[in-house]
Every structure is written in C-alpha cells, then in structure tokens.
Amino acid sequence: FCRKKCQMCTNLIMLVAALLMAFSKTAKSFEMILVGRFLYGVGSGFSITIHPQYVGEISPKKLRGFTNSTVAVFLTLGKLAGQVIGLREILGSEGLWPWLLASSGLSAIVQLVILPFLPDSPSYLLIQKSNEEAFRKAIRKLWGEGDHQAEIDDMMKEKAAVASTKSLRVLEIIKERSLRWQLYILMTVMITLQLCGINAV
C-alpha cells in the first residue's frame, strides 16, 4: 500500500478499537477493553511510522524538517488533550469513561474524511508506481505551479538509487557488517529514550 492508503487502513483499526471501548460497559465485557487497547497500540505503532514518511514525502524540501517535527507536536497535543478530557468535569466520570477511552477515534474519523482528498506522495508515484504523469500532477497539486525541478531531479536520483539496491530483510540487516554500527546507535537511542523517564514526565 502507499502511505495514504496505509494511514486510512490504520484509521479503520483505530475506529474499530474506539467502538469496542465505547460499548464495553454496555456489553459488560472487560475483554472488549483489552482488545480495543491492543488495537489502539497496533494503530499507534503504524501511525507513528507512516505519518512522518507521508508528511515528509509530500512536503517541499525547504519545509521537510518542520513537517517531520509535527509527529512529536501532535503526540504531545494528544497526551494533553487526553489529560484535559479525562478530568472528572468532562469525561472522567464513572458514567462517561467508555467515551473517554473511545475519544481517540475522533482523530481517526477526521483523517478518514480528509485523506481521500489528498494525493499520494510524489516519490511513491514515481519510485514504486513509475507513473510520471501522476507524479507531476501530485507535485502541482501539493506545491502549486512553479519551478520544482530541483525536487524532481532529487526524486529521479532516488529512483535510480533504489533500482540499483537490494532490499534487506531484518535478519540480513542484523548480519550485515557495514550496517552494524548504525544499528547499535539506533538501538541505543531507542532504549535510552524509553529509560530516560520522559514517559513519566
């Protein structure tokens, strides 16, 4: 799937999770909460990797760093929104807690409504689909009319580089000596991020 379709499928997973949580009290089933939380986790895992890829690919080069930082911003805003609507005066009461758990489904609905109107990412259309006409149409729709030749040239170079390289499986990446230090650094950063206490803060 392209990034856009992946996000739409992820939002469907989140909606199913929201519905399970919303009706768990009515059904008197704690299992629905467990399944809903599991599906939320799966959806969040997909979203946190797909969002920066899609946003980075549809952004012009000068805005790419800014748009990729939106992942952290929206993650923080989501936590803040959850804490605010979790107050007893809003949805934190005994009767409304299932709707509090299901409230994350609202962002999934918004994305499901908006995403069909956005084009696929230009690099996906060029590199994976080899559809140059759709690629140029997407660039015009996303970035407007103008001279985007530098970005087009970069994507053409990326397409040539991708065509000449072999995709590696997870075990092949682990065994590849030339990638070992990058892998160690990445694992160290991810582990220390989990142990640094930021989640508790």
Side-chain angles (χ1 to χ4, degrees):
F1 289 126
C2 65
R3 316 278 187 249
K4 186 175 89 169
K5 285 180 185 165
C6 279
Q7 282 189 297
M8 292 176 76
C9 290
T10 299
N11 288 319
L12 288 173
I13 293 171
M14 299 291 253
L15 274 179
V16 170
L19 289 171
L20 285 169
M21 306 259 256
F23 296 109
S24 60
K25 188 176 181 185
T26 309
K28 295 186 169 119
S29 169
F30 73 89
E31 294 89 355
M32 287 172 71
I33 297 172
L34 294 176
V35 173
R37 294 290 289 170
F38 175 76
L39 290 175
Y40 266 153
V42 170
S44 298
F46 281 132
S47 295
I48 214 158
T49 54
I50 297 165
H51 170 82
Q53 288 178 5
Y54 182 66
V55 171
E57 288 175 3
I58 66 172
S59 305
K61 203 170 189 178
K62 60 185 176 187
L63 295 175
R64 205 160 286 156
F66 169 74
T67 54
N68 277 332
S69 68
T70 59
V71 176
V73 171
F74 284 115
L75 201 58
T76 307
L77 285 174
K79 288 178 183 180
L80 175 66
Q83 289 178 349
V84 169
I85 64 172
L87 294 172
R88 191 174 300 279
E89 294 79 13
I90 304 174
L91 291 178
S93 65
E94 189 175 337
L96 295 175
W97 65 261
W99 299 105
L100 172 63
L101 293 177
S103 62
S104 297
L106 290 174
S107 60
I109 291 170
V110 170
Q111 281 196 35
L112 276 173
V113 170
I114 293 172
L115 279 171
F117 298 103
L118 296 175
D120 287 320
S121 74
S123 62
Y124 167 78
L125 292 168
L126 180 68
I127 296 168
Q128 268 89 25
K129 287 291 184 185
S130 298
N131 188 341
E132 202 162 323
E133 185 184 338
F135 158 73
R136 292 186 184 277
K137 189 178 174 185
I139 283 181
R140 282 194 300 274
K141 188 172 182 180
L142 289 165
W143 305 341
E145 297 295 336
D147 183 23
H148 305 296
Q149 194 56 45
E151 283 93 344
I152 291 169
D153 291 343
D154 283 347
M155 285 184 213
M156 293 292 192
K157 285 178 193 168
E158 187 182 344
K159 182 181 180 183
V162 167
S164 63
T165 55
K166 175 184 170 266
S167 294
L168 297 175
R169 293 192 166 91
V170 175
L171 283 175
E172 291 172 334
I173 290 172
I174 293 169
K175 291 177 183 175
E176 181 63 45
R177 291 182 67 85
S178 63
L179 299 175
R180 199 156 289 163
W181 277 108
Q182 292 93 319
L183 191 63
Y184 289 157
I185 291 167
L186 185 64
M187 287 170 62
T188 305
V189 168
M190 295 310 292
I191 290 167
T192 52
L193 185 64
Q194 296 306 311
L195 299 175
C196 73
I198 192 67
N199 294 325
V201 172

